């Protein structure tokens, strides 16, 4: 529960901005309009939008104390406490941060949870500092509701094509060359397999859903034709694909990308060995980074141990450890290709082929990347 920190409620009625407040949520998200979120950090971490910056009116502790006072003694007393907590140097510092944002983003907006008390307080304090800055009517709650509703519209009204293919065929590379696509794995910051974890954390579920809804809005309003997406399972790492979107995907046409095994091995080698080694070493240094990369690779294998079986897992672990040793000592990568080929042929391919067999009636085209791109271009 958050409260206005100004003592006269009538100030809420004063027109405070040279640009009007907005409730045009579609424009905000289609055009990546920068927004300043004045909610407390704990609220922002639970759910936010792209192109926003958290510059809170009150920090988590201040918000907590004001909320307690409101429950115990009512609004007026809570307002008094808020003004006691956010005053002097603290208030000056927060206004300074807001000023910096407004100067960097003169076309932006500010918002709080409902677009009321905290937003109006922020507006007034900025106005007193000589800056008129508009807010988003309805705040975070209204924008979140808008994106939830639009996600349902996107799922139910638009045409999708699913890029499918065995592991290592380069589906994401192909996806990004299609004329209208949404990259689910990019939004989830995860490649979607047991080896798919990235160095940086995945977004919260709410942030993933917000990002997906915005990406679909752009695909619907700014581009033409069917939207291409990859064939994903229910979970991409820890992020769950919304059910209405999964339902739509389950009846959409499928385009199958094919590639020879040698090409697939090289793609997996690039994505999961070369690129991940470089990422870990850039983040943690050469030696520590390689150790972290090795842990990542072995831990990823252990996640599928139940499906592989103990004997097969031990064999692949041995191959992987030998490959890591050669990579570290002589910077050679050939031994990595051994475990990659076995994992593709013995684990991923049978699983994929079985799943695709249940969707065969939905396949509308199959071929290599050039075949598919040529077919897509002719289809426009």
């Amino acid at each position: 529960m958050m409260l206005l920190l100004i003592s006269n409620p009538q100030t809420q009625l004063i027109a405070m901005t040279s640009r009007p407040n907005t409730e045009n949520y579609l424009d905000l998200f289609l055009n990546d309009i920068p927004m300043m979120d004045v909610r407390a950090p704990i609220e922002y971490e639970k759910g936010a939008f792209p192109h926003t910056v958290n510059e809170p009116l009150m920090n988590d502790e201040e918000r907590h104390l004001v909320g307690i006072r409101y429950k115990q003694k009512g609004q007026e007393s809570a307002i008094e406490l808020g003004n006691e907590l956010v005053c002097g140097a603290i208030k000056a510092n927060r206004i300074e941060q807001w000023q910096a944002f407004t100067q960097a983003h003169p076309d932006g907006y500010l918002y709080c949870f409902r677009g009321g008390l905290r937003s109006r307080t922020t507006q007034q304090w900025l106005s007193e500092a000589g800056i008129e800055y508009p807010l988003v009517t309805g705040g975070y709650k209204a924008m979140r509701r808008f994106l939830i509703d639009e996600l349902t519209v996107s799922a139910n009204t638009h045409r999708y094509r699913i890029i499918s293919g065995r592991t290592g065929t380069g589906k994401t590379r192909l996806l990004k060359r299609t004329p209208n696509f949404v990259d689910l794995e990019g939004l989830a910051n995860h490649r979607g397999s047991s080896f798919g974890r990235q160095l940086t954390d995945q977004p919260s579920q709410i942030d993933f859903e917000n990002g997906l809804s915005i990406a679909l809005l752009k695909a619907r309003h700014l581009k033409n034709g069917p939207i291409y997406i990859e064939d994903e399972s229910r979970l991409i790492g820890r992020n769950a694909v919304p059910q209405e979107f999964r339902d739509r995907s389950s009846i959409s046409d499928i385009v199958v990308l094919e590639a020879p095994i040698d090409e697939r091995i090289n793609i997996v080698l690039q994505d999961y060995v070369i690129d991940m080694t470089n990422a870990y070493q850039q983040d943690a240094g050469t030696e520590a980074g390689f150790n972290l990369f090795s842990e990542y690779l072995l831990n990823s294998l252990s996640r599928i141990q139940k499906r592989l079986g103990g004997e097969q897992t031990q064999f692949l672990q041995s191959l992987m450890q030998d490959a890591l040793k050669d990579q570290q000592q002589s910077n050679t990568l050939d031994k990595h290709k051994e475990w990659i080929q076995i994992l593709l042929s013995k684990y991923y391919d049978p699983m994929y082929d079985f799943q695709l067999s249940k969707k065969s009636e939905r396949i509308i085209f199959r071929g290599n990347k050039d075949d598919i791109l040529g077919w897509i271009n002719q289809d426009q």
Side-chain angles (χ1 to χ4, degrees):
M1 178 66 192
M2 293 311 306
L3 296 154
L4 194 66
L5 299 186
I6 52 180
S7 57
N8 183 6
Q10 294 302 316
T11 55
Q12 296 181 57
L13 302 177
I14 299 173
M16 297 167 60
T17 59
S18 54
R19 285 188 299 132
N21 298 334
T22 187
E23 55 184 12
N24 189 345
Y25 311 132
L26 180 62
D27 179 70
L28 291 173
F29 293 125
L30 287 184
N31 295 294
D32 295 331
I33 301 298
M35 292 184 281
M36 183 171 71
D37 187 323
V38 300
R39 295 176 301 156
I42 192 171
E43 297 172 279
Y44 188 81
E45 290 168 7
K46 289 179 180 177
F49 308 113
H51 307 287
T52 63
V53 175
N54 186 216
E55 295 291 354
L57 174 65
M58 286 189 271
N59 64 30
D60 294 337
E61 179 63 17
E62 292 158 355
R63 172 181 176 269
H64 176 67
L65 293 173
V66 169
I68 292 174
R69 176 68 65 87
Y70 176 84
K71 291 178 181 178
Q72 293 176 343
K73 298 186 177 181
Q75 178 170 311
E76 186 174 349
S77 178
I79 290 173
E80 291 176 0
L81 177 61
N83 282 307
E84 292 172 8
L85 294 172
V86 185
C87 66
I90 294 174
K91 178 178 177 179
N93 178 260
R94 289 179 192 171
I95 293 174
E96 183 179 346
Q97 296 299 314
W98 299 340
Q99 288 176 310
F101 181 90
T102 64
Q103 290 165 6
H105 306 289
D107 58 336
Y109 293 85
L110 65 90
Y111 67 89
C112 62
F113 184 65
R114 292 186 179 87
L117 302 177
R118 284 178 285 181
S119 293
R120 297 291 182 178
T121 300
T122 305
Q123 273 193 327
Q124 177 169 329
W125 289 1
L126 279 171
S127 181
E128 291 169 353
I131 297 173
E132 308 298 332
Y133 208 67
L135 61 80
V136 179
T137 305
Y140 173 84
K141 186 176 182 181
M143 289 188 283
R144 169 70 173 154
R145 181 73 259 169
F146 171 80
L147 291 179
I148 291 172
D149 293 342
E150 285 298 317
L151 182 58
T152 300
V153 173
S154 295
N156 292 332
T157 64
H158 211 80
R159 184 160 59 106
Y160 295 87
R161 284 179 179 164
I162 312 299
I163 300 291
S164 188
R166 288 176 165 181
T167 300
T169 49
K171 296 185 290 295
T172 302
R173 290 171 171 81
L174 173 64
L175 180 76
K176 292 180 178 180
R177 295 178 66 185
T178 61
N180 191 10
F181 69 90
V182 170
D183 182 6
L184 296 172
E185 293 182 0
L187 292 169
N189 194 34
H190 196 285
R191 288 198 178 102
S193 70
S194 60
F195 290 80
R197 181 171 59 87
Q198 303 294 297
L199 269 68
T200 52
D201 291 338
Q202 288 191 258
S204 69
Q205 180 64 25
I206 291 175
D207 285 0
F208 172 67
E209 292 171 1
N210 288 342
L212 174 58
S213 185
I214 293 167
L216 291 171
L217 280 175
K218 292 178 178 179
R220 283 167 47 204
H221 290 272
L222 303 180
K223 297 184 179 180
N224 298 313
I227 300 173
Y228 287 84
I229 59 174
E230 279 192 62
D231 195 0
E232 302 289 352
S233 59
R234 183 180 69 87
L235 291 175
I236 307 176
R238 70 182 184 193
N239 289 142
V241 179
Q243 186 62 49
E244 63 267 40
F245 191 69
R246 281 177 47 77
D247 290 343
R248 185 68 172 186
S249 301
S250 69
I251 60 173
S252 297
D253 294 334
I254 296 173
V255 178
V256 179
L257 174 60
E258 298 173 333
I261 186 65
D262 288 347
E263 182 179 335
R264 294 168 57 209
I265 290 170
N266 285 330
I267 288 175
V268 173
L269 182 72
Q270 182 68 49
D271 288 348
Y272 295 97
V273 176
I274 298 173
D275 289 351
M276 291 302 287
T277 299
N278 291 338
Y280 274 106
Q281 290 184 328
Q282 288 174 8
D283 184 66
T286 301
E287 184 174 353
F290 189 83
N291 291 336
L292 290 170
F293 163 70
S294 300
E295 290 177 14
Y296 146 79
L297 211 57
L298 292 165
N299 288 338
S300 298
L301 181 63
S302 69
R303 291 191 184 96
I304 55 175
Q305 180 173 350
K306 288 184 178 179
R307 293 185 179 181
L308 285 172
E311 185 176 343
Q312 185 75 280
T313 301
Q314 288 180 0
F315 177 61
L316 287 168
Q317 283 175 339
S318 178
L319 289 178
M320 195 176 280
Q321 287 166 342
D322 287 345
L324 288 165
K325 183 178 179 180
D326 270 18
Q327 181 184 0
Q328 186 175 35
Q329 292 181 349
S330 57
N331 200 31
T332 57
L333 301 172
D334 287 345
K335 285 190 176 180
H336 279 295
K337 295 183 179 183
E338 296 179 27
W339 66 261
I340 291 172
Q341 180 170 4
I342 294 171
L343 202 57
L344 290 177
S345 61
K346 301 293 185 182
Y347 176 70
Y348 283 109
D349 287 359
M351 184 168 56
Y352 169 78
D353 292 344
F354 173 72
Q355 294 296 328
L356 187 63
S357 69
K358 298 189 291 184
K359 313 171 188 175
S360 58
E361 73 282 354
R362 292 162 47 205
I363 298 173
I364 59 171
F365 193 84
R366 61 195 312 157
N368 63 35
K369 62 179 182 298
D370 293 329
D371 294 334
I372 292 173
L373 290 171
W375 173 76
I376 290 174
N377 290 332
Q378 290 178 357
D379 189 53
Q380 295 302 304

